[in-house]
Amino acid sequence: MARKVIIDCDPGIDDAVAISMALFDPRIDLVAVTATAGNVPAEQASRNVQAIIERLDPPRFPRLGAATFAEGCAGTDNRLMHGDDGLGNQGFVVSRLHHQHPSEKVICDAVRADPHGVTLVCLGPLTNIARAFQRDPELPVLVDRLVISGGCVDGVGNVTAVAEFNMFFDANSARTVFRSPVTKTLVPLDVTRTVRLTLDFLDRLPPETTRVGGFLRRILPFTYRAYHQRLGQESILLHDVVTLVSVLEPALFECTEMSGDVETRGELTLGLTVFDRRHSPQWRANMDVARRADPEKVIDCMVNSLSLAGSAAAGE
Ligand code: BDR
Ligand code: CA
């Protein structure tokens, strides 16, 4: 049976690829896609969620949630790696900005409609999740599982020396979520970094004549260029897509129970994910953490899922 999923995201090119898979993969029943500020500001994130879904035109539209200004968050974004509009500067237009409920309300409603039945896949900063838990304090125990893209166990960050972007952007919300009793899995940079996509990934996408193939061929070249120009790398990472694969095919990942928290104050360490790895840990284990994946199989899963999206969404 398909797993009911909400994707909370800040599109972002890797978020967009993950949504493209989730909209058509029969293993997922995508009930809602909620936007949050992160890679791009709140309004742009909401616009992007709508643009992606309208372009791909799935048989069943998920509910959409709008991002609202994230107070107290790091004054940063990730437009260098995703484009000024977050989707590779392709100038996608949305038909009209539908009236949408705020993301945290959509999350609360969807979880309440099917207690213990919904997996929340968090591909951006955890602002909406913390807000949803504040709005409805019983929610953490009603969510089936939270799967979080972000953090790092080895302490090697991607936005600062030690912090991963999603954790750094809203460290307070990340801490609230880490400390909440929700059942959770973290898919950190240590694992997502092992899945490198060389240029030939583009040849494995569905044909350009399909809606998804055409869409991905418009946004992904920006990522290859950004990695080349900014990092001197010829291959790219699609962190959030790896996280989605962990939902589609958990067997490809080796997970360990760990106790994690997030630094919310450090001058050099804001957003650092901290794990008690002492011989005799003093903190209680509060999450499963993906520690290893099989990169080739993860890539095959992406390709296969996207090919299903290609067959499901015929051309324009
Ligand atoms: C995370 O940061 C964002 O840029 C990506 O979309 C991903 O969610 C990786 O650190
Ligand atoms: Ca993201």
Side-chain angles (χ1 to χ4, degrees):
M1 206 179 68
R3 186 167 174 172
K4 274 194 183 168
V5 165
I6 301 173
I7 290 187
D8 184 67
C9 57
D10 60 336
I13 293 175
D14 55 342
D15 303 74
V17 179
I19 294 169
S20 307
M21 287 161 59
L23 280 172
F24 299 99
D25 197 300
R27 291 165 287 189
I28 286 185
D29 172 8
L30 190 60
V31 293
V33 182
T34 53
T36 189
N39 286 321
V40 288
E43 199 187 323
Q44 184 72 52
S46 307
R47 219 173 257 286
N48 288 354
V49 164
Q50 196 180 320
I52 295 162
I53 293 171
E54 281 182 1
R55 285 203 77 77
L56 299 180
D57 194 22
R60 218 159 58 87
F61 267 55
R63 290 188 63 193
L64 304 187
T68 47
F69 178 68
E71 216 168 307
C73 291
T76 184
D77 60 45
N78 215 352
R79 287 189 263 194
L80 283 179
M81 298 307 286
H82 296 268
D84 284 343
D85 66 358
L87 293 177
N89 296 334
Q90 287 302 301
F92 297 119
V93 278
V94 285
S95 51
R96 68 193 158 85
L97 206 53
H98 296 295
H99 170 72
Q100 289 167 8
H101 291 295
S103 292
E104 60 271 24
K105 175 175 174 9
V106 173
I107 292 170
C108 289
D109 291 351
V111 172
R112 280 281 173 186
D114 188 2
H116 311 289
V118 178
T119 300
L120 259 165
V121 182
C122 310
L123 306 181
L126 294 169
T127 315
N128 292 333
I129 315 302
R131 285 177 181 168
F133 289 176
Q134 194 172 24
R135 186 181 171 110
D136 183 348
E138 268 182 39
L139 211 72
V141 297
L142 299 179
V143 171
D144 178 46
R145 181 173 288 272
L146 204 68
V147 181
I148 303 167
S149 191
C152 51
V153 178
D154 62 7
V156 181
N158 63 355
V159 60
T160 69
V162 298
E164 182 279 331
F165 179 82
N166 292 336
M167 301 292 128
F168 177 81
F169 187 89
D170 189 354
N172 288 313
S173 291
R175 169 171 279 191
T176 302
V177 173
F178 273 35
R179 291 185 173 186
S180 80
V182 68
T183 305
K184 47 195 161 309
T185 302
L186 187 76
V187 185
L189 286 182
D190 318 51
V191 169
T192 59
R193 269 193 186 121
T194 63
V195 183
R196 289 219 150 259
L197 295 147
T198 48
L199 260 178
D200 69 326
F201 179 63
L202 292 177
D203 300 329
R204 300 180 69 191
L205 296 176
E208 183 150 20
T209 47
T210 61
R211 284 200 294 274
V212 72
F215 174 65
L216 297 178
R217 281 184 175 74
R218 283 184 65 179
I219 60 172
L220 278 169
F222 186 95
T223 309
Y224 283 96
R225 270 198 305 278
Y227 270 75
H228 173 72
Q229 289 167 359
R230 309 210 174 273
L231 308 174
Q233 295 171 9
E234 300 309 318
S235 55
I236 63 166
L237 301 173
L238 295 176
H239 304 280
D240 295 341
V241 187
V242 177
T243 301
L244 186 74
V245 170
S246 79
V247 176
L248 292 171
E249 290 198 31
L252 302 183
F253 295 76
E254 209 180 293
C255 290
T256 315
E257 268 204 324
M258 296 182 81
S259 40
D261 206 336
V262 181
E263 176 56 62
T264 55
R265 272 186 274 189
E267 192 187 337
L268 297 174
T269 54
L270 178 71
L272 167 71
T273 41
V274 180
F275 297 87
D276 187 354
R277 293 197 284 164
R278 285 173 279 191
H279 187 63
S280 309
Q282 304 292 301
W283 303 351
R284 254 210 338 211
N286 59 350
M287 62 181 78
D288 285 326
V289 181
R291 303 292 285 131
R292 253 168 297 280
D294 181 331
E296 287 313 312
K297 289 192 178 148
V298 169
I299 295 172
D300 287 345
C301 174
M302 293 178 189
V303 169
N304 293 335
S305 177
L306 287 169
S307 120
L308 294 175
S311 336
E316 315 192 43

